[in-house]
Amino acid sequence: MRPVYALGAGAHPWGKWPEKPQLQLALEAMSAALADAGIVWTEVQGLVAASSRFEGGMGWGLHANEVVQAVAEQGIPCINVGGACAAGAIALQTAHALVASGQYDVVAALGAERMPKGFIPRPPGSADDRSDNDFLRWVAMGATNPAYWAIEARRRQHEHGTSERTLAQASALMRRNAGGNRLARYRDPISEEDVLASPMVADPLHLLQICPVSDGAAAVILGSEEFVRRSGKAAVRVAGCAVGSGQFGDPARRIPTISSTVREGVAHTSEVTGAVRAAFELAGIGPEDVDLLEMADNSAWHILAWPELFGFYEPGQGDWMLEQGKLAIGGELAINPSGGFLSFGEATTAQALLQVSEVLWQLRGEAHGHQVPDAKVGMTAVLGLGANGGSVILTR
Amino acid sequence: MGKAAERFVVEGLVEQTPAGPRLIGSRCRGCGTTYFPQKASCPNPACTDKAPVAALLPDQGTLYSYTVQRYQPPPLFRMDGWEPYLLGLVDMGDGLQVMGMLTGVKEQEVRIGMTLQLVTEPLYCDDDGTAVLTYKFTPAGTAL
């Protein structure tokens, strides 16, 4: 493999944009990414789109083909990858492979999403029988996504004594980070009291402790060393890039299944921890080298638990790290300086690419208003339905 | 009992035995792993036989964790007289954890580690009057 660099990134601000079609969100993100990379469409040699959210390929999504047909019909390969909420990471992995192999010099990865309101319902088209987990969880018990996260959070309270206040502090930190990020949807500061006063959705998680859904789009352009030199920008390298799927025996309460078969010694959320470990190996670094982590905080529980799962510190230590301010911008390990999913709301297929965009801007020192001081190594981690995990490490 | 028509929310999930309801899972004849619901194959990568056969799960388990579903789920879920309900994750032994609604217990009485008994209860009545049942868990000793 030859070295691959992040040439540029662009994003459409997250929010609700009923007047803008998904394609428009995508085109604006791509235009911003091209400008950021200092290149034009004719230099783009391939486009990978994170295009689908669900097992079986159903759901929402945007195809790379729609984008080039709208804006640049130039014969380039258009690759559309699924992977649910991890699709953006899989798109980046694919774009990375295309450049690393030497076949192409500039490849863009893109995700654009307009989400339906409220709890994410089951997509149409699958079988109404017991072979379909997403059918079962609705008809047999009405388990919404936050219920799964709440069950994890409740168990953490039991095992580690995590307090309601600490869980509230996680949300407050995300909102504080988002305050300086023009791309985030929710930027007003919130206190722990605000979090605890928000409606209970699934105990112990309140409304302000679970990620809403949003519309958004993000694009990242990868390229060879020659292109990053030409751009005149800081050379930010994709030092590690990996995707993974789940391990047998994983104890995670995996949406939308209604059971887990748990085996001793198997990592929790193994699809993500596996990708993180693989990314570390490729980059030849470890958790101690990372300045910032952009991770999928679908709930406040994730902020506490995920860095522990990745080996940043011991299980149960996340509470103390948060309470001591060590996870804030300027702390030991900045978690989601962007504001995270809790402040953006999830635009599924676009989310992992927004994470990589954020890390790129952080490493260039361009994360105005929410900059991690002297950031040199940044990592992303994301989880998608169907036990998809992805992780990317950028270094400068 | 048995006067009004009854059916389960989905076929093949629960068996009514003379001794009470049991969840229908699979046990792999190759590696011995238990699954719920029934599996078409065996996802244990080390298993070379891949031979799951239908198996009834134990009718009791211990509560591993729980939450309260405070908001009404999207329309595929149906329940007469909707109100928030407890959802539990129950350890059925052999490493198998099963999610389900809890019944016959107040939120403040729920304890992780408590022993729970499998029961069935109607969720709603169909338009033709058929009672549609699901499985639930209730504190052991209170099921009768």
Side-chain angles (χ1 to χ4, degrees):
Chain A
M1 288 204 297
R2 65 172 172 168
V4 176
Y5 295 84
L7 304 181
H12 186 288
W14 260 232
K16 282 314 234 182
W17 312 107
E19 76 288 0
K20 277 194 193 182
Q22 192 166 259
L23 180 62
Q24 184 61 30
L25 298 175
L27 294 179
E28 290 186 32
M30 264 307 287
S31 294
L34 290 168
D36 191 47
I39 61 171
V40 292
W41 260 110
T42 50
E43 292 172 292
V44 177
Q45 298 170 10
L47 180 62
V48 186
S51 71
S52 169
R53 309 190 309 169
F54 289 100
E55 293 170 74
M58 295 165 293
W60 294 261
L62 181 79
H63 275 212
N65 306 69
E66 296 174 58
V67 174
V68 298
Q69 281 163 11
V71 77
E73 291 186 307
Q74 52 190 6
I76 61 171
C78 285
I79 301 174
N80 303 294
V81 299
C85 301
I90 296 170
L92 194 97
Q93 161 82 27
T94 307
H96 178 267
L98 293 172
V99 177
S101 70
Q103 190 174 5
Y104 301 99
D105 291 319
V106 179
V107 177
L110 168 74
E113 195 74 70
R114 279 184 57 180
M115 297 293 294
K117 271 187 75 156
F119 290 123
I120 297 175
R122 177 173 178 248
S126 33
D128 287 355
D129 62 35
R130 65 176 156 76
S131 68
D132 187 82
N133 284 314
D134 210 4
F135 178 70
L136 280 183
R137 63 122 161 200
W138 292 123
V139 297
M141 64 197 74
T144 58
N145 291 0
Y148 286 80
W149 307 323
I151 283 172
E152 298 280 15
R154 175 71 76 193
R155 184 68 195 183
R156 182 183 179 89
Q157 292 184 306
H158 179 75
E159 287 180 1
H160 298 301
T162 297
S163 69
E164 298 235 329
R165 182 152 289 273
T166 303
L167 280 167
Q169 212 175 337
S171 295
L173 173 64
M174 291 303 99
R175 198 61 82 78
R176 192 155 73 238
N177 291 352
N181 188 354
R182 65 174 184 86
L183 294 172
R185 178 176 174 189
Y186 300 101
R187 279 172 283 175
D188 294 335
I190 50 172
S191 66
E192 292 157 32
E193 287 70 28
D194 294 334
V195 177
L196 294 173
S198 67
M200 191 69 90
V201 173
D203 308 48
L205 299 178
H206 296 77
L207 187 63
L208 291 175
Q209 289 168 318
I210 57 170
C211 78
V213 291
S214 292
D215 306 335
V220 176
I221 301 175
L222 301 183
S224 62
E225 191 168 353
E226 182 201 333
F227 270 84
V228 81
R229 273 217 197 100
R230 246 181 51 187
S231 76
K233 297 258 187 180
V236 172
R237 195 178 153 195
V238 182
C241 178
V243 298
S245 59
Q247 288 278 354
F248 175 71
D250 185 333
R253 266 46 73 172
R254 188 176 279 151
I255 299 168
T257 66
I258 59 168
S259 76
S260 329
T261 293
V262 181
R263 288 292 175 265
E264 200 71 35
V266 180
H268 192 292
T269 319
S270 53
E271 56 274 56
V272 184
T273 53
V276 163
R277 197 181 327 111
F280 273 138
E281 273 169 28
L282 284 167
I285 62 169
E288 65 282 1
D289 301 306
V290 175
D291 299 310
L292 70 121
L293 172 65
E294 278 287 325
M295 49 155 268
D297 54 325
N298 288 100
S299 77
W301 168 80
H302 293 75
I303 302 276
L304 296 175
W306 271 29
E308 297 171 359
L309 298 176
F310 303 157
F312 282 95
Y313 33 81
E314 293 297 306
Q317 213 190 332
D319 301 34
W320 183 82
M321 292 289 288
L322 177 69
E323 289 155 11
Q324 297 299 308
K326 293 182 186 299
L327 306 180
I329 292 171
E332 227 165 83
L333 172 70
I335 294 198
N336 293 350
S338 69
F341 289 24
L342 287 173
S343 308
F344 273 72
E346 203 181 349
T348 57
T349 55
Q351 213 66 37
L353 289 160
L354 190 275
Q355 292 181 324
V356 177
S357 303
E358 169 69 17
V359 172
L360 171 61
W361 296 323
Q362 286 283 353
L363 299 196
R364 282 186 187 159
E366 295 171 353
H368 309 300
H370 59 292
Q371 178 66 47
V372 174
D374 196 32
K376 289 190 171 67
V377 179
M379 180 172 217
T380 73
V382 73
L383 167 70
L385 200 68
N388 283 297
S391 179
V392 178
I393 297 172
L394 301 185
T395 58
R396 77 162 161 89
Chain B
M1 266 181 65
K3 281 200 297 279
E6 286 182 348
R7 68 174 177 89
F8 279 99
V9 286
V10 63
E11 285 302 306
L13 215 52
V14 182
E15 185 165 314
Q16 295 284 21
T17 76
R22 303 276 291 272
L23 294 176
I24 310 169
S26 296
R27 184 164 292 112
C28 179
R29 275 195 314 238
C31 66
T33 307
T34 310
Y35 300 102
F36 175 74
Q38 296 178 63
K39 287 261 190 202
S41 186
C42 173
N44 177 0
C47 175
T48 51
D49 291 350
K50 312 287 181 198
V53 291
L56 298 184
L57 304 183
D59 63 353
Q60 288 200 345
T62 57
L63 186 67
Y64 186 84
S65 187
Y66 65 98
T67 185
V68 182
Q69 180 65 47
R70 298 271 171 195
Y71 283 77
Q72 192 160 1
L76 202 52
F77 176 73
R78 212 173 140 185
M79 180 179 176
D80 286 340
W82 190 88
E83 54 180 44
Y85 52 85
L86 284 152
L87 268 177
L89 181 70
V90 182
D91 192 332
M92 305 298 286
D94 211 13
L96 180 64
Q97 297 181 342
V98 173
M99 269 171 79
M101 296 165 87
L102 304 185
T103 185
V105 60
K106 292 196 180 73
E107 188 193 345
Q108 52 275 23
E109 298 163 356
V110 176
R111 296 287 175 269
I112 286 175
M114 72 196 297
T115 305
L116 297 169
Q117 172 80 38
L118 187 81
V119 293
T120 59
E121 278 185 3
L123 264 181
Y124 60 94
C125 256
D126 251 350
D127 301 338
D128 66 2
T130 306
V132 181
L133 312 182
T134 193
Y135 71 87
K136 297 184 182 183
F137 295 95
T138 197
T142 63
L144 302 175

